[in-house]
Amino acid sequence: MFNLDSLLRNNIKRLVPYSSARDEFKGEATVYIDANENGYGSPLPVNYNRYPDPLQWKLKYKLAEVKGVPPQNIFLGNGSDEAIDILYRAFCNPGVDNVVLCPPTYGMYEVSANINDVVIRKVSLTEDFQLDIAGLQEAIDENTKLIFICSPNNPTGNSINRADIELLLNNFDGIVVIDEAYINFSRQKSFIQELTEYPNLVVMQTLSKAWGLAGLRVGMAFASEEIIHVFNKIKPPYNMNQSTQELAFQALDNVTKVNEWIRETVIERDLLSAALEQLPEVLQVYPSDANFVLVKTTDAKGIYTYLTTKGIIVRDRSKVELCAGCLRITIGTPAENQLLLEALKTYQPQTEKTVSA
Ligand SMILES: *Cc1c(COP(=O)(O)O)cnc(C)c1O
C-alpha cells in the first residue's frame, strides 16, 4: 500500500518551512516595508525590486489551462533538475535508501543521486530500449524509494511501453517518476491526466524543449496535492525569478506557434531519418518519439570530429551503454538539417595514418 508519510524522510516530515514576508502578510497595503527591499525601484526600464510570488500562482493558473491539470497539482522549478533534486531530498535517506534507474537514460538522475549520497540500482533497458520488468522486480527492495522512467527516453528517443509503466504504478509502493521532457513530440499520451488514478505518480515536463524556453529555466512537476506540498516545503522560497514568471506567462499565449513548430519538427524528424538511412556511414536510425534521433554509425568519434570541422556539433553517445557507435542528433530547422546532410555526404572514413619521416 502506498503511504506518503511512511515514504518521506523523517527530517522532511518534521520540517518547518521558511516563512517569507509575503507568507506572513497576504492582503493589499500601500507601504511595504517588511522585506528589506529597495522602495525606489530598480536601475532598469522595468522594476524588479519586489520579491516574486514564491508559489508562482499566476503562471500556474495559466499552465493549468494549457495542461488540463489543476494548479494545486503543479510544482514549478528552476529547470527539471530542481524537481529531480527535491525528489531525492524528500524521500531518500542518504546512504540508506536507493533509486532505480534504467540506463541508457538522462544523466541528471544519476548525478543528483550521487550529490545526495543515494544508492543507485541500475536495471538496463532491453535491446529494444524497453523496461526489463523481471530485472526491475529483482532490483526493487524495501529501501527503494524512487524509480525514474524517461519517456520518450533520452538518448534513445523511443517511448516506453505504457502497459509496463502502468504495471510499475500499480505494484510499486514508492514514487514512480515519469520524465516527459519530450512528450510534445510523441505519439504516446502523457500521464498527466492520471494523477487521480495513481497517488505514487510524479510527471515531469519542461518548457526547455518544444516551448523553446531553455534559457528561462522552467521545469514542471505534476503530482498529487500532498506530494506538491512536500515539494513546496523543501524548495528555496523564491526558486523562480520574477522575469521568468512573467516571460513564461506571456509565452503560454502562443500555443498555436509552438504546435506549428512541433508539427514541423516531427515532419523534419521523419525526413531526416530517411535521408540519414541512405548514407553509407549510417548503420541504423532508431525510431524516435522526440526532437532528436539516435543514429548508429560506422565511426561515431570520427564523424563527430569531422562534423565539428564543418561547424556542426552533434552529441557523441558512443560511450553510453547499448549505444556503441551512436550519435544523438537534434532535429534542427530544415536549413540546419540540410547542412548536416550535405556535410555527411562528403564524409570520408579516415584511413590508417602512416607515419612519415
Ligand atoms: C532536456 C531534458 C530535461 C529538461 O531539463 P530542464 O532542466 O527543464 O531544462 C529533462 N529531462 C530530460 C530527459 C531531458 O532530456
Side-chain angles (χ1 to χ4, degrees):
M1 259 291 283
F2 175 79
N3 181 318
L4 183 60
D5 244 23
S6 67
L7 214 57
L8 283 172
R9 288 173 61 188
N10 284 327
N11 61 313
I12 298 301
K13 243 186 291 182
R14 287 192 304 261
L15 179 71
V16 180
Y18 178 74
S19 178
S20 71
R22 282 292 74 72
D23 288 323
E24 292 180 11
F25 179 83
K26 290 201 166 90
E28 289 290 319
T30 24
V31 181
Y32 286 100
I33 45 176
D34 58 349
N36 301 345
E37 298 152 340
N38 181 339
Y40 295 100
S42 309
L44 286 172
V46 184
N47 282 335
Y48 291 106
N49 57 322
R50 300 296 176 186
Y51 280 96
D53 175 5
L55 291 173
Q56 311 102 5
W57 283 117
K58 200 171 158 205
L59 179 53
K60 280 180 186 170
Y61 270 89
K62 195 140 162 190
L63 260 177
E65 279 172 39
V66 175
K67 297 287 175 186
V69 172
Q72 299 81 356
N73 295 94
I74 305 176
F75 163 83
L76 297 179
N78 184 14
S80 308
D81 299 339
E82 184 172 19
I84 296 169
D85 179 63
I86 290 179
L87 283 163
Y88 285 118
R89 288 194 282 158
F91 296 107
C92 299
N93 290 294
V96 175
D97 292 327
N98 68 70
V99 59
V100 170
L101 304 180
C102 304
T105 194
Y106 187 45
M108 271 315 286
Y109 314 141
E110 179 163 356
V111 173
S112 196
N114 286 330
I115 290 170
N116 287 288
D117 194 16
V118 173
V119 180
I120 298 166
R121 299 202 168 169
K122 292 188 182 176
V123 180
S124 298
L125 295 175
T126 59
E127 286 290 325
D128 57 350
F129 301 141
Q130 290 297 328
L131 296 178
D132 170 3
I133 292 295
L136 285 170
Q137 262 166 342
E138 220 166 289
I140 293 166
D141 67 11
E142 65 277 11
N143 289 322
T144 306
K145 297 296 181 72
L146 305 170
I147 300 178
F148 279 90
I149 308 292
C150 188
S151 182
N153 187 40
N154 179 3
T156 60
N158 62 295
S159 292
I160 303 298
N161 293 333
R162 198 174 177 88
D164 289 345
I165 299 178
E166 286 168 349
L167 191 75
L168 282 178
L169 283 165
N170 282 316
N171 294 288
F172 175 56
D173 290 332
I175 304 278
V176 178
V177 187
I178 308 178
D179 186 345
E180 295 188 337
Y182 300 99
I183 193 67
N184 305 89
F185 307 101
S186 175
R187 301 164 186 86
Q188 302 293 315
K189 228 173 80 200
S190 166
F191 269 89
I192 56 172
Q193 301 311 326
E194 317 294 324
L195 296 176
T196 46
E197 202 75 27
Y198 303 109
N200 57 341
L201 170 63
V202 173
V203 180
M204 297 196 304
Q205 294 187 6
T206 178
L207 297 187
S208 296
K209 306 287 156 65
W211 279 88
L213 298 170
L216 286 189
R217 313 304 304 128
V218 182
M220 303 171 268
F222 304 90
S224 71
E225 273 191 60
E226 290 73 21
I227 294 178
I228 296 299
H229 177 68
V230 172
F231 271 79
N232 288 339
K233 270 173 66 164
I234 298 176
K235 78 180 188 70
Y238 306 107
N239 63 323
M240 183 175 291
N241 69 68
Q242 183 69 29
S243 63
T244 294
Q245 290 189 40
E246 286 169 2
L247 289 169
F249 183 85
Q250 280 178 41
L252 292 176
D253 284 332
N254 300 313
V255 183
T256 315
K257 181 79 226 165
V258 172
N259 282 336
E260 256 171 55
W261 283 331
I262 293 167
R263 265 196 302 279
E264 184 152 4
T265 301
V266 167
I267 292 169
E268 281 295 308
R269 176 181 77 202
D270 297 342
L271 290 173
L272 183 65
S273 300
L276 287 169
E277 271 173 347
Q278 303 304 312
L279 300 172
E281 65 269 32
V282 170
L283 301 174
Q284 189 175 1
V285 181
Y286 292 95
S288 171
D289 254 354
N291 66 341
F292 59 84
V293 281
L294 188 72
V295 184
K296 197 187 247 332
T297 68
T298 50
D299 177 15
K301 193 156 180 280
I303 296 168
Y304 173 85
T305 309
Y306 164 76
L307 284 173
T308 62
T309 68
K310 299 275 179 184
I312 298 172
I313 315 299
V314 298
R315 197 85 191 263
D316 181 358
R317 298 278 80 183
S318 59
K319 296 285 174 286
V320 168
E321 191 169 340
L322 298 179
C323 296
C326 287
L327 297 173
R328 192 195 70 190
I329 303 177
T330 304
I331 310 304
T333 62
E336 289 173 331
N337 300 333
Q338 215 43 53
L339 287 171
L340 170 73
L341 286 170
E342 276 160 28
L344 285 173
K345 275 177 194 149
T346 56
Y347 166 74
Q348 299 286 338
Q350 287 288 272
T351 45
E352 205 75 22
K353 279 209 185 73
T354 47
V355 183
S356 52

